[in-house]
Amino acid sequence: MKALRISNLLCLRKRKVEDDRTAINYKTVGLIGLCSGAGTTQLGIMLANYFSNGLHLKTAVVSTGTDDAFDRIKEEVQVGKARNYTGSRRGFSYKGIDFFGGVREGFVHAITEYYDVVIVEVNLADLKEKLADGLRDVMSCECRILVGSMVPWKYGECVKRLSRIRRLYSVKNMPVVSVSWQEKMAKNMEREYEIRAFRAPMEENPFEMKGSAIQMLKQVVT
């Protein structure tokens, strides 16, 4: 009887993972950092951890710029080499996730055949006048997520960039995720831009997430 209960539990867990996988009906996820320090890389790693270690999907994270966080991961922890897709020499693998930084335009689409999910991140604070060019890869993703800050000294910067994006692309119903949550600011952003705001729990280690973080991620990407 005990063996039967364990077997049933394992079947339920397997079915749950399969149901979550079914909900992921896209291969590319674009993260758009509206300001510096918004937590774009943090969210990217959390999503990659969810896809890779939670749903067992082959996952890559790609930064279109030079991501200092990627360099620090390589320095602080033991990492392995990622396969040298399309000539990129900046890839490495950690915790079952492949990371690529400073890639050229078009790299994302060249590697999608090798992965179940590719997460693309861009920080708009680094682009300035090159906004349209910098958005090209990330806005071509099947799922697009804004990452912003609700604190007063960054909120204005975020909405200015949202306005610039809206002149180029539709942002209606796009999710915006914020770690520095302010209810009033979030509601204002939702109302003005017709987007959906989500509060991201602060995770000290994005490779080790609590249940509340996983639930938030599932809401954003399904």
Side-chain angles (χ1 to χ4, degrees):
M1 182 65 72
K2 183 177 180 181
L4 182 59
R5 286 200 299 269
I6 293 173
S7 176
N8 288 340
L9 180 61
L10 291 174
C11 285
L12 287 172
R13 287 178 177 174
K14 182 179 179 182
R15 192 179 308 155
K16 179 67 168 59
V17 170
E18 288 174 349
D19 288 345
D20 283 346
R21 282 178 173 175
T22 303
I24 307 302
N25 57 1
Y26 42 74
K27 287 181 66 73
T28 51
V29 179
L31 302 182
I32 306 162
L34 296 174
C35 65
S36 59
T40 310
T41 299
Q42 178 94 350
L43 180 63
I45 294 174
M46 290 168 65
L47 279 169
N49 189 21
Y50 169 59
F51 289 135
S52 179
N53 299 308
L55 302 183
H56 307 291
L57 299 171
K58 190 174 182 183
T59 305
V61 184
V62 175
S63 174
T64 57
T66 301
D67 197 313
D68 293 339
F70 286 11
D71 292 334
R72 286 194 291 272
I73 291 172
K74 291 176 68 174
E75 292 172 3
E76 297 292 334
V77 299
Q78 188 68 34
V79 300
K81 291 183 178 180
R83 287 183 60 184
N84 188 13
Y85 298 123
T86 67
S88 173
R89 299 180 181 178
R90 303 200 58 172
F92 66 92
S93 183
Y94 180 64
K95 296 284 188 179
I97 304 162
D98 287 350
F99 293 82
F100 298 92
V103 301
R104 62 183 181 275
E105 185 178 337
F107 176 83
V108 175
H109 304 289
I111 67 168
T112 52
E113 65 180 287
Y114 303 105
Y115 293 94
D116 298 312
V117 180
V118 177
I119 300 167
V120 188
E121 61 175 62
V122 61
N123 185 351
L124 300 190
D126 297 333
L127 298 180
K128 297 178 182 177
E129 73 279 357
K130 298 179 181 178
L131 185 70
D133 292 339
L135 283 171
R136 193 170 293 122
D137 272 348
V138 73
M139 290 303 291
S140 67
C141 291
E142 294 159 291
C143 174
R144 297 172 294 277
I145 302 169
L146 301 160
V147 188
S149 175
M150 304 297 175
V151 296
W153 57 91
K154 289 190 176 182
Y155 178 78
E157 179 183 353
C158 289
V159 296
K160 283 181 182 178
R161 290 206 172 95
L162 253 178
S163 296
R164 290 183 65 191
I165 295 171
R166 191 167 61 175
R167 289 197 289 268
L168 300 169
Y169 299 94
S170 172
V171 299
K172 187 175 182 179
N173 293 324
M174 282 178 62
V176 58
V177 177
S178 177
V179 174
S180 52
W181 184 262
Q182 298 280 343
E183 187 73 23
K184 182 179 179 180
M185 302 293 192
K187 293 300 181 185
N188 287 343
M189 195 177 281
E190 283 185 323
R191 184 170 54 253
E192 183 175 353
Y193 294 94
E194 298 182 90
I195 57 181
R196 299 173 293 129
F198 294 87
R199 181 177 187 171
M202 175 60 74
E203 293 289 338
E204 293 182 5
N205 185 349
F207 293 103
E208 298 176 6
M209 296 185 295
K210 298 187 288 292
S212 57
I214 295 170
Q215 288 302 316
M216 180 275 297
L217 295 175
K218 289 171 66 175
Q219 285 182 300
V220 172
V221 299
T222 57

